[in-house]
Amino acid sequence: MKYKKKKGTGERIVKAKPSGYEEKRVRRLGKIRILIGFLLIAVIAVGAWLAWEQIMIPYQPEEKSESSQTSSQQEEVLPIYGDDFNLKLATPDHPLEEKPQITEFQGVQMDERIIPALEALLQAAEQNKTPLKLVSGYVSPEEQDQKFNAEVERLMKEKKYSRVMAEQTAAASVSRGGQDESQTGLSVWVGLEDGSDFASSAQYRWLARHSVDYGFVFRYPEGKKSYTGREFDPCCIRYVGQRAALQMRQLQMCLEEYVAYTDR
């Protein structure tokens, strides 16, 4: 330790040498600065190389994944029809005028134009291990009238209703010929192989999530009786086309609501 006398005063200034700890700290800081400098240089070099690569190497689009290719192929296979076909109604307020093109598929009658979409839906459900069984489909106007008249006769016999009252009561549960969804050929009723409750099944949950991908919706969804005139029926699915099905889900509309919406 050195002492130096301050000019003009009797005081002495003390100059001390750095301790060993301080010297080590200074050297460590110097090494850190050098390391940071090298890292910055490396980052700049990598960035420059990537920029050069983007400029010099032509862009090559990524190949589509297998799942996206499958989805694209599915869209090409599914039929595309106009709303005059997809949104056809058969109700007391909208009696059916056009006769459907009926054929049989898996033992159930339906309009032949919905078979490609229905077959794709059934195959997807099978692959998901939630297989669906077709139960029923198209009913002719003549058969529907027979159902209606049978209900009228039952009410007259069991309830002692007059014919007028019996017909009014029967119309609330059984439609006349040409006024029922089953005459369109666009709806099918599905179920389970063991006949258990469909609404609580994995199949119903799968349909609720995926049916719109194939152009199908629930014809009589929950909470829509004031529009459809029918109680909730989890087994009845109706073809409306992919575009309408997706919009109906987004808007949370049943078929009657959506038809009125598109007619505005």
Side-chain angles (χ1 to χ4, degrees), residues 18-44:
S19 66
Y21 171 77
E22 291 177 343
E23 288 180 354
K24 289 180 181 179
R25 185 181 178 187
V26 171
R27 285 197 298 270
R28 190 181 299 114
L29 289 173
K31 290 178 180 179
I32 291 172
R33 291 193 188 98
I34 294 170
L35 181 60
I36 292 173
F38 278 124
L39 288 174
L40 288 173
I41 293 170
V43 169
I44 293 170

Side-chain angles (χ1 to χ4, degrees), residues 71-81 113-121 211-216 239 241-242:
S71 177
S72 176
Q73 290 171 358
Q74 172 184 305
E75 290 178 0
E76 293 175 2
V77 170
L78 294 182
I80 299 175
Y81 306 117
R113 288 167 285 187
I114 75 169
I115 291 178
L118 180 60
E119 189 171 20
L121 180 146
S211 64
V212 296
D213 298 332
Y214 303 90
F216 286 87
Y239 180 80
Q242 283 179 303

Side-chain angles (χ1 to χ4, degrees), residues 105 110 114-123 134 188 216 237:
F105 175 68
M110 64 192 69
I114 75 169
I115 291 178
L118 180 60
E119 189 171 20
L121 180 146
L122 294 175
Q123 288 176 353
L134 293 182
V188 293
F216 286 87
I237 57 173

